[in-house]
Amino acid sequence: QVQLVESGGGLVQAGGSLRLSCAASGRTRSSSVMGWFRQAPGKGREFVTAIAWSGTSTWYADSAKGRFTISRDNAKNTVYLQMNSLKPEDTAVYYCAAGRTLYSRSPDQYAFWGQGTQVTVSS
């Protein structure tokens, strides 16, 4: 089992920035990939970005490219999502997830999930 706890969400004006954190514990070595997803009201869970625990592989949804950056701190078992130039359409609950498939974008390929953190961007 892998436990994931997100933090850092909140209310921000359009154009602002937020940094989300995801602290992993438990059998973290069983999951080689960490991803961020989001879910807006009435919509499905959408892939945002993901990173491999080892190496330099990262991959992004088109909506996140150029504005969001994923990073990790292996010593702290923590993954970060830096979000800049936020837009009202970025408003959603953001989830951290752990998986094993490199370059995976489907929620079905992530076995463990955090409880989510709300991000609200006002116009």
Side-chain angles (χ1 to χ4, degrees):
Q1 292 288 333
V2 177
Q3 293 78 44
L4 304 172
V5 179
E6 303 99 332
S7 61
L11 174 64
V12 64
Q13 289 188 332
S17 298
L18 279 175
R19 189 176 83 154
L20 306 183
S21 299
C22 173
S25 61
R27 299 182 62 185
T28 56
R29 295 306 177 207
S30 66
S31 297
S32 54
V33 169
M34 294 293 293
W36 286 98
F37 288 77
R38 67 186 183 185
Q39 188 165 16
K43 295 187 176 181
R45 197 159 293 190
E46 175 190 20
F47 172 77
V48 178
T49 181
I51 189 169
W53 275 118
S54 62
T56 59
S57 295
T58 60
W59 52 106
Y60 293 86
D62 288 344
S63 59
K65 287 179 182 177
R67 299 189 300 126
F68 295 1
T69 302
I70 190 170
S71 62
R72 67 176 194 269
D73 184 332
N74 288 39
K76 295 182 179 180
N77 283 339
T78 299
V79 174
Y80 303 97
L81 179 62
Q82 177 67 43
M83 303 187 293
N84 299 327
S85 303
L86 283 161
K87 305 174 182 180
E89 50 263 43
D90 294 318
T91 296
V93 177
Y94 283 71
Y95 297 90
C96 175
R100 300 183 66 180
T101 305
L102 198 61
Y103 304 120
S104 56
R105 296 170 179 259
S106 170
D108 293 341
Q109 293 177 305
Y110 290 81
F112 303 102
W113 293 82
Q115 81 288 352
T117 185
Q118 176 71 47
V119 170
T120 303
V121 184
S122 63
S123 57

